[in-house]
């Protein structure tokens, strides 16, 4: 399991935006992200889970530097997309494990989530791909998160650094 | 914009599972995915968006062949993780665009979402990474989805195939 993971990354310069209560209909996602693209705002994680009664939330992260521009742009289309609210959270960090073919390795995501759980670190959002498993967590816990994940996936490295004369 | 995308993929052999109403606390995600890993069930997209009042939903996809095993395993831990429900949907397909460095290209995701919207195809779930933007849609619309996305990102190819004698 451990060898599939080649690295751990942490990004504390992200802000999370969530557009809540939008109609779950064609065109909504296009409007949201088209609006951001028109302002040349790059979006990192886009996460949309299942709807409830034809209503959904669309969450995503942007660079902290782009947060104000993004919010301003989205406010302009808020009524058009019939959103209940546009929420944001700057107190987040994205912690990821990177590897090859992780999807075919059941247990890698579970091990990452266990590592965070061991550190009492709550997982706010999750997005995965074959080469990257990312969790959004509390920014203040980012360094601890990297450490606990490192202990799980690179235990021999930790053993070496503990040797003192 | 168009050149960043190297391909379009469609997978009609996935089933979506959603575990709803779980406490948004450390250990929950680890329990869910540890349970699946113990049965050697591979998980594809894991999507968890923001919580509401300390409660969250965790959605993910598995291969259709693994659906029954996955549901059986999750039922056993349902009360331990205090889930309201374990839902599933087999009528889904995952449609993705694949490329390099797509996160730094605002507008690629928007173009994909627009393509689907043009085809009146509702986007049920979204998960993204730098090299892959994936949408879960209605299975019956998978082929149409690939076609509309292809028209947007590879227009010259479509032009060629429309020539008839
Ligand atoms: C919510 C949003 O993703 C909507 N379902 C759409 O297709 O655009
Ligand atoms: C909901 C689940 O992701 C929870 N927040 C956890 O950390 O495990």
């Amino acid at each position: 399991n451990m060898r599939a993971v080649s690295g751990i990354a942490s990004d504390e310069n992200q802000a999370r935006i969530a557009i809540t209560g939008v109609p779950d209909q064609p065109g909504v996602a296009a409007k949201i992200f088209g609006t951001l693209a028109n302002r040349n705002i790059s979006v990192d994680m886009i996460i949309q889970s299942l709807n409830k009664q034809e209503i959904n939330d669309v969450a995503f992260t942007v660079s902290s530097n782009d947060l104000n521009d993004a919010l301003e742009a989205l406010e302009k289309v808020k009524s058009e997309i019939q959103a209940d609210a546009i929420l944001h959270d700057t107190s987040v960090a994205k912690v990821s494990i990177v590897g090859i073919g992780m999807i075919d390795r059941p247990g890698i995501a579970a091990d990452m989530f266990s590592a965070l759980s061991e550190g009492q670190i709550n997982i706010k959002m999750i997005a995965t791909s074959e080469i990257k498993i990312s969790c959004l967590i509390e920014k203040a816990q980012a360094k601890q998160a990297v450490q606990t994940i490192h202990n799980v996936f690179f235990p021999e490295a930790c053993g070496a650094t503990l040797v003192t004369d």
Side-chain angles (χ1 to χ4, degrees), chain A:
Chain A
N1 234 7
M2 317 243 158
R3 294 307 159 208
V5 177
S6 58
I8 305 167
S10 170
D11 182 350
E12 298 183 34
N13 289 323
Q14 298 208 357
R16 187 267 293 149
I17 296 174
I19 304 186
T20 61
V22 295
D24 193 23
Q25 299 164 10
V28 172
K31 191 70 195 171
I32 292 168
F33 296 97
T35 298
L36 295 170
N38 289 342
R39 294 231 189 163
N40 216 29
I41 295 171
S42 290
V43 172
D44 190 358
M45 298 162 99
I46 299 175
I47 292 180
Q48 174 186 310
S49 190
L50 77 169
N51 70 20
K52 303 235 163 103
Q53 292 144 9
E54 313 308 321
I55 300 292
N56 216 333
D57 303 331
V58 184
F60 53 94
T61 61
V62 296
S63 147
S64 307
N65 294 339
D66 287 338
L67 178 62
N68 289 340
D69 283 352
L71 292 175
E72 185 181 328
L74 293 166
E75 278 300 328
K76 296 198 167 98
V77 300
K78 183 184 171 200
S79 57
E80 181 176 350
I81 59 177
Q82 301 173 56
D84 284 346
I86 300 175
L87 310 174
H88 67 277
D89 185 354
T90 52
S91 182
V92 298
K94 175 174 137 182
V95 176
S96 309
I97 56 175
V98 184
I100 303 290
M102 292 197 294
I103 280 186
D104 303 322
R105 309 289 295 272
I108 292 188
D111 287 347
M112 180 187 186
F113 303 153
S114 288
L116 294 171
S117 160
E118 298 273 310
Q120 284 300 304
I121 297 166
N122 193 44
I123 302 169
K124 297 182 180 221
M125 304 202 336
I126 302 172
T128 61
S129 71
E130 292 90 337
I131 64 162
K132 196 175 207 182
I133 299 174
S134 293
C135 292
L136 211 67
I137 61 168
E138 183 56 48
K139 187 185 284 196
Q141 295 181 304
K143 293 180 173 48
Q144 182 196 358
V146 170
Q147 190 61 57
T148 70
I149 293 168
H150 189 262
N151 294 353
V152 164
F153 287 98
F154 304 97
E156 70 286 5
C158 301
T161 56
L162 284 174
V163 173
T164 56
D165 291 341

